[in-house]
């Protein structure tokens, strides 16, 4: 086993294990803080980071009280509503 991926895992798992989640979380916070509330799709476009890497960064930042669900919903690319995430006041 190397890092967070097992030797038997596909190459995509090994690539994902190399991601620095602390850096990704910082980048998510920075882009929302600079641009205002956004959906995960908007964050992915603004950062150039895959949506699949952005989405798992939201919950930990919300648990820390850094980000909040604004209660606003916007349609995403699929037409389904996505929540709009913002920086908690005072952070």
């Amino acid at each position: 086993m190397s890092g967070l991926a097992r030797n038997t895992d596909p190459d995509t798992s090994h690539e994902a294990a190399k991601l620095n989640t602390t850096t990704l979380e910082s980048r998510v916070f920075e882009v929302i803080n600079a641009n205002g509330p956004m959906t995960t799709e908007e964050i992915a476009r603004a950062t150039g980071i895959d949506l699949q890497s952005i989405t798992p960064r939201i919950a930990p930042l919300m648990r820390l009280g850094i980000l909040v669900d604004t209660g606003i919903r916007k349609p995403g690319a699929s037409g389904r509503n996505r929540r709009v995430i913002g920086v908690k006041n005072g952070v």
Side-chain angles (χ1 to χ4, degrees):
M1 181 145 53
S2 171
L4 300 174
R6 295 177 296 272
N7 292 333
T8 57
D9 286 344
D11 59 338
T12 52
S13 295
H14 289 274
E15 287 301 313
K18 293 178 189 175
L19 293 175
N20 183 334
T21 56
T22 303
T23 300
L24 290 175
E25 289 172 0
S26 295
R27 186 70 183 115
V28 167
F29 169 76
E30 290 167 3
V31 76
I32 295 172
N33 195 42
N35 297 297
M38 306 171 87
T39 66
T40 52
E41 287 179 350
E42 292 168 336
I43 297 165
R45 278 194 301 273
T47 60
I49 300 170
D50 291 341
L51 179 62
Q52 293 80 2
S53 295
I54 294 295
T55 303
R57 309 287 69 87
I58 302 300
L61 292 170
M62 291 178 83
R63 280 193 297 272
L64 290 171
I66 295 170
L67 298 181
V68 295
D69 182 339
T70 64
I72 299 168
R73 302 294 182 259
K74 291 169 64 174
S78 68
R80 295 179 63 189
N81 280 336
R82 292 190 160 282
R83 64 184 176 173
V84 176
I85 307 298
V87 173
K88 184 174 181 176
N89 293 337
V91 174

